[in-house]
Amino acid sequence: MKTGKEFRSRFFALRPHLNYLPEGDRYLSSIDEPKYRFNVIGTGTNGQEHVSVTLLEGRATIHGVFDPNPRSIEGARRAFSPYAPQENLVVYDSLEQACRDPDVDGHIICTPNYTHIDVVRKAIKSGKHILLEKPMATTIRDAYEITQLATGYDAILQIGLQYRYKAIYVEAIYEALERKALGQIKTVSILEHRIPFFDKVNQWNKFSKYSGGTLVEKCCHYFDLLNMFAQARPVSVFATGSMAVNFVEFEYEGQKSDIIDNAMVTVIYENGIRASFNLCMFAPMFYEEIIICGDEGRLKAFENQDFMPEPRPKTYLEIMRGEQKPSRVTTPSYPTFLEEAGHSGATYFEHANFIDNIEGRETNAAKAEEGFWSIVVGVAAEESVKAGEVVNVEQLLKKNGLEL
Ligand SMILES: NC(=O)c1ccc[n+]([C@@H]2O[C@H](COP(=O)([O-])OP(=O)(O)OC[C@H]3O[C@@H](n4cnc5c(N)ncnc54)[C@H](O)[C@@H]3O)[C@@H](O)[C@H]2O)c1
């Protein structure tokens, strides 16, 4: 009789030195046929990560790709090569063709932010599962339209807010929200210090009209986390920020870049929780940190990649609970091969959750509504930077024709 979950290892399944084993003798290292076939729409940096992580996860494969840039298609082929022969990869001529393909179970949409709304409008007509990259849209109206399209949609529509699956945040979510190790949460602060935005096809991420602005494009991940830890709706947002160092001189096809590279954001939630976010995008590292204070303790966690030769801890999480309860210091992590697959392993677990979601298991994957609220805070913060004033979220929604 089988009890519990059987142990199978993707690490061993993918080791070429085990290929000598007859198929019937592979148990621990068994390679099951993928059950699902996905298309990747947009195969730039992120689309290529989705190709390789789909194959690494193994319950699905990539059936086809659509991207107008031939070099991005070549990139998708390269992402295939460590895992599977890619001769059968279908390369579509149009989005419509990709959406019509009856052999496909789902679409992974990783096109530039401003294109998401049009791609989703078409992809959703296919009735297939959708994993839509963050930010789900660049405006509140478009984000709301997607939540409406998702309501009553029979298939899965999951938003790519996958920082939730980074090891430090998985542990923080467990401690703060499930175990309630900190008592009642009162304040949450997140900091991200990192290198500038990378080059992109047509440099769409250097322009607010294409990306939604830095606080929507990148920071929706952190606003999603703040919203999650607050477990309440945001009431008001105040932000300051500027274009201090990056892309100050940058022009593309006659247009000057207009994205901010540093910001301080404060969010007040309707249950009184205060949250803050501190961004600097001209730091020579990737460093993010969260501090959550409750009435019974304080949690601090960080993830650090600083490219220095002397190894230092890449992650850290402490829970301090004073004289009443045990405190703890840990270094949350995943196996190296999963972390190296992208975003410290978060992309792998995003895919695992996408498939679990498709199979009807309960997950903590981001729903369209959660994607929407991450955009609301991001847009409010962008507007606050421009206006130099506190943005009231209800009024912002009303301005966008919404009374929620
Ligand atoms: N979840 C994350 O942490 C994460 C990380 C990186 C990027 N992203 C998101 O992924 C998306 C893509 O970002 P990227 O870094 O890969 O950008 P990129 O510029 O590297 O790639 C975008 C690709 O989309 C293609 N494209 C443009 N318009 C298209 C269309 N209408 N149909 C099909 N393909 C189209 C481009 O040719 C390009 O190959 C963005 O929404 C971005 O915010 C998410």
Side-chain angles (χ1 to χ4, degrees), residues 40-50 65-73 94-95 109-116 118-119 132-136 159-163 166 198-205 210-211 216-218 220-221 343 346-347 350:
V40 177
I41 311 299
T43 56
T45 318
N46 191 252
Q48 290 169 38
E49 186 170 308
H50 281 297
V65 290
F66 170 61
D67 193 306
N69 177 30
R71 289 188 182 202
S72 299
I73 300 290
S94 67
L95 176 61
I109 299 172
C110 7
T111 56
N113 304 349
Y114 70 99
T115 63
H116 290 179
D118 284 339
V119 175
L132 168 64
E133 260 310 337
K134 55 50 59 180
M136 66 199 286
I159 308 298
L161 289 163
Q162 106 286 41
Y163 279 31
K166 287 189 176 201
F198 299 130
D199 287 335
K200 296 288 161 198
V201 175
N202 296 329
Q203 298 288 13
W204 59 267
N205 61 350
Y210 301 134
S211 72
V216 173
E217 145 58 10
K218 179 72 227 283
C220 62
H221 278 305
H343 291 85
T347 315
E350 171 180 43

Side-chain angles (χ1 to χ4, degrees), residues 143-157:
Y144 187 71
E145 183 181 331
I146 294 174
T147 63
Q148 294 302 98
L149 290 170
T151 307
Y153 190 53
D154 282 339
I156 298 299
L157 197 160

